[in-house]
Amino acid sequence: MASYPMRIRARAKDGVADIKVLIEHPMETGLRKDANGKLVPIHFIQNVVATCNGKTVLNAQWSQAISKNPFLGFKVKGGKPGDKVNVSWVDNEGMKGSIDATVEKA
């Protein structure tokens, strides 16, 4: 089972935390063909959940319509430096990924 790297940045300014996450994932639609003309199997992230200090702040259901290596950006009202952020995902093959960050001052 492959592991897909993630990168995260979390910064707060004026009571709002700005979270940015890059997930390296193939996000295959199931419609693309390989060099031999065979369909590449469908493989995509289905669910993304973000928490701030243990409280869910984002729960997204994705499909194969999301591009390869998706970038996710969102803001959390009330976020401040020192808050703990976690972003995790699960794909249609049961693979999982997760990353933690501490919100920094912008």
Side-chain angles (χ1 to χ4, degrees):
M1 190 183 288
S3 174
Y4 297 112
M6 297 174 68
R7 292 189 295 188
I8 188 170
R9 186 180 76 189
R11 295 193 175 147
K13 181 179 179 182
D14 300 328
V16 177
D18 185 23
I19 317 298
K20 296 182 180 181
V21 183
L22 178 65
I23 306 169
E24 292 184 33
H25 193 281
M27 299 298 285
E28 290 293 345
T29 65
L31 302 174
R32 190 174 64 85
K33 294 183 180 181
D34 64 14
N36 298 322
K38 294 183 179 182
L39 286 176
V40 176
I42 193 167
H43 186 198
F44 64 94
I45 294 173
Q46 288 183 311
N47 185 271
V48 179
V49 176
T51 62
C52 184
N53 295 326
K55 179 181 176 187
T56 301
V57 294
L58 176 111
N59 190 344
Q61 305 296 314
W62 285 359
S63 71
Q64 64 271 28
I66 304 294
S67 68
K68 177 180 178 179
N69 300 329
F71 173 82
L72 172 65
F74 60 97
K75 296 180 186 287
V76 177
K77 188 175 180 180
K80 59 190 178 306
D83 285 352
K84 304 294 182 190
V85 176
N86 174 274
V87 177
S88 59
W89 57 264
V90 178
D91 71 17
N92 67 310
E93 294 184 356
M95 296 180 70
K96 299 176 182 182
S98 182
I99 193 165
D100 296 307
T102 300
V103 178
E104 300 174 354
K105 185 175 181 179

